[in-house]
Amino acid sequence: MSLAALLAGLDSGAMSARGATEDALSRASRAAGLNALITLTADAARAAAERADAARAMGAPGELLGVPYAHKDLFCTLDVTTTAGSRMLAKFVPPYSATIHEKLDASGAVLIGKANMDEFAMGSSNEHSYFGAARNPWDPDRVPGGSSGGSAALVAARIVPFATASDTGGSIRQPAALCGVTGIKPTYGRVSRYGMIAYASSLDQAGVIATSAHDAALALSVIAGFDPRDPTSVDAPPIDVSDALSMSLAGLRIGRPRQWCGEGIDSGVANAVDAALAIYAEHGARIVDIDLPSSEHAIAAYYVIAPAEASSNLARFDGVRYGHRCAHPKDLADLYTRSREEGFGHEVQKRILTGTYVLSAGYYEAYYHRALKVRRLIANDFARAFNEVDLIAGPTSPCVAFKLGEKLADPVAMYLADVNTVSVNLAGLPALSIPCGFSDGLPVGLQLCAPWWQESRLIGAAHAYQRVTDWHRALPPGIA
Ligand code: GLN
């Protein structure tokens, strides 16, 4: 059931929070093979659902009162284990909650658990999780995408109507595309990062995955907003959901970047995206070919900047203050080295090494500083394009969900899964992915990107498409 329908059912009394929560928990247990949850908070969820039902009976407010959901496991939740998909934090119980958790709590939403993810959000397949890969509900032998693979799988399998996620280079949009659901990454600064375990701070942004743009907008409007505890949080005008939902496509100018549609995009994906843009055109939008020339360097720049920031952010995990600590250290150096060696997986270690290297004296100018210049060029490309068009569209991912293990031995192939998403983070723009068809029986995602703070336009354009298509209603085999 959609979030909007569930809210209507709760409002009318046809449904209860307790019932919705039991349903989510039993669906989660039937779909345990997806390995989409790292922690299940069943008892706390039942108690929260009862409180929600009581609050509703008393007429208490709450935008999401009684709605079950899951958090990507990098949002700190007071007294609930928060692992970031890592052995380093496998036993970490935060003494405080992320702002977005506080906001969801205040809205009355019911947390049923913490979703699987690539370790410290590094990955495009969820295979880099210390807790094992999550699986794609469309085909359990395939990846759900990453790093928010658990969140996308939970929503695709209709276990929860929405889940939180984070996107540093595509981790909301790419798994949403591979699992056939809707994921929105807001403008950098729209949603607080306070209490969200950092990967690359200048790129990280929290958002949501849901089954439709309408539902994603409902959840997003709860978590968005200025937070003085996050120094990069921006006091932007709020997203007007009802305004967005009534947007018309007539006259909308949609740019199709040549660089997003060229080499490396599977033909089945390209065909589905072309068909989707034809629907936009049919409903009055104008499709314009555009260029984002610097985006061909986006992956290269991203894989310098993100590891650089990660190497700095992850320095705090030293085995002293919190996180994994090795047994019987000989001395302080041994404590640091072994704790980090045991606590971090290979992908994370590789990125710490890369990041440390590109920041080191002698290489800083050649790599890090250069990547920052490319980042500026990429942002300038978008700014220029948005003088001519209202939205930019293309395939979210170059391919559909791949087989588990298929790209693990080839990191470059894995990194290329984000070829169309990372440039958006480098420019700090809002973007979403919506299901737009199938290739080889697997979902394809359409990415839409808007100028800064224009989430309403994104949501409006996605909702208009979902009003005239059914792709977002398709269910994975065995899911009812
Ligand atoms: N796949 C990209 C990476 O591994 C993006 C991850 C993300 O957005 N968190 O860095």
Side-chain angles (χ1 to χ4, degrees):
M1 176 175 295
S2 74
L3 173 54
L6 174 58
L7 280 171
L10 289 166
D11 279 343
S12 73
M15 262 167 299
S16 67
R18 184 66 203 250
T21 301
E22 286 304 338
D23 186 45
L25 293 173
S26 76
R27 283 166 176 266
S29 88
R30 286 201 300 274
L34 294 175
N35 198 26
L37 284 165
I38 292 174
T39 304
L40 184 71
T41 53
D43 293 342
R46 290 191 174 104
E50 258 159 40
R51 284 197 303 276
D53 282 331
R56 197 174 277 279
M58 288 166 56
E63 299 100 306
L64 299 176
L65 197 54
V67 175
Y69 77 102
H71 268 309
K72 183 175 184 176
D73 203 18
L74 50 45
F75 293 104
C76 286
T77 39
L78 174 70
D79 297 338
V80 176
T81 310
T82 301
T83 70
S86 181
R87 181 180 183 197
M88 185 58 91
L89 292 175
K91 298 194 177 87
F92 175 57
V93 180
Y96 71 107
S97 287
T99 296
I100 94 165
H101 183 59
E102 287 182 350
K103 285 183 177 245
L104 284 164
D105 243 8
S107 79
V110 174
L111 179 72
I112 69 143
K114 307 293 292 283
N116 203 348
M117 57 180 282
D118 282 299
E119 184 175 4
F120 286 101
M122 298 176 189
S124 309
S125 68
N126 211 133
E127 292 167 289
H128 298 310
S129 167
Y130 173 62
F131 302 92
R135 287 158 184 271
N136 193 314
W138 289 91
D139 176 353
D141 292 333
R142 290 178 186 268
V143 305
S147 63
S148 315
S151 301
L154 287 168
V155 174
R158 302 305 193 263
I159 293 166
V160 283
F162 80 96
T164 62
S166 71
D167 192 310
T168 305
S171 281
I172 292 178
R173 293 158 285 156
Q174 188 259 12
L178 270 44
C179 288
V181 291
T182 299
I184 181 161
K185 169 225 164 320
T187 310
Y188 183 78
R190 169 73 82 181
V191 177
S192 171
R193 294 181 300 112
Y194 179 78
M196 176 170 116
I197 294 169
Y199 163 13
S201 309
S202 77
L203 301 159
D204 294 345
Q205 178 57 204
V208 292
I209 294 180
T211 58
S212 70
H214 183 172
D215 286 1
L218 293 174
L220 176 60
S221 59
V222 170
I223 62 167
F226 177 66
D227 179 9
R229 293 182 296 186
D230 173 357
T232 59
S233 173
V234 176
D235 195 2
I239 302 165
D240 188 333
V241 177
S242 57
D243 204 40
L245 297 180
S246 60
M247 190 182 110
S248 145
L249 295 178
L252 192 75
R253 299 164 303 168
I254 302 181
R256 174 170 43 191
R258 278 176 260 268
Q259 292 76 6
W260 286 12
C261 308
E263 215 184 307
I265 307 292
D266 286 356
S267 60
V269 169
N271 293 342
V273 166
D274 286 346
L277 291 179
I279 300 230
Y280 274 98
E282 233 173 74
H283 288 82
R286 194 150 57 80
I287 313 297
V288 190
D289 285 320
I290 61 164
D291 278 301
L292 297 173
S294 301
S295 66
E296 64 174 294
H297 304 299
I299 288 277
Y302 173 85
Y303 278 101
V304 170
I305 293 170
E309 294 186 21
S311 72
S312 167
N313 275 327
L314 271 52
R316 74 190 67 178
F317 300 104
D318 55 7
V320 177
R321 289 161 292 187
Y322 47 80
H324 176 75
R325 177 181 298 178
C326 69
H328 314 300
K330 282 202 309 282
D331 52 27
L332 187 61
D334 186 44
L335 168 73
Y336 287 157
T337 333
R338 274 204 294 127
S339 297
R340 288 169 68 79
E341 187 180 307
E342 293 168 6
F344 292 135
H346 284 295
E347 184 63 25
V348 173
Q349 292 186 13
K350 187 166 73 191
R351 297 198 191 194
I352 293 173
L353 288 172
T354 314
T356 308
Y357 178 81
V358 300
L359 290 176
S360 59
Y363 296 107
Y364 180 95
E365 289 295 328
Y367 295 108
Y368 182 67
H369 199 218
R370 246 184 167 195
L372 291 184
K373 290 181 178 173
V374 173
R375 181 178 193 169
R376 165 58 60 192
L377 294 176
I378 288 170
N380 290 350
D381 276 1
F382 278 109
R384 213 173 303 115
F386 282 127
N387 285 329
E388 290 166 40
V389 296
D390 305 305
L391 289 175
I392 294 177
T396 307
S397 160
C399 58
V400 292
F402 39 95
K403 285 248 159 74
L404 285 153
E406 189 182 317
K407 294 190 199 278
L408 264 186
D410 184 354
V412 174
M414 185 77 92
Y415 294 172
L416 286 174
D418 297 315
V419 66
N420 283 355
T421 50
V422 294
S423 57
V424 171
N425 300 71
L426 288 165
L429 296 163
L432 55 70
S433 179
I434 48 175
C436 71
F438 290 87
S439 171
D440 298 328
L442 295 161
V444 175
L446 171 74
Q447 173 170 239
L448 297 174
C449 172
W452 289 325
W453 313 113
Q454 300 304 318
E455 282 87 348
S456 308
R457 192 184 297 163
L458 273 185
I459 291 160
H463 180 66
Y465 177 79
Q466 291 182 333
R467 265 199 316 226
V468 295
T469 57
D470 277 328
W471 304 117
H472 62 294
R473 291 200 186 87
L475 294 172
I479 304 292

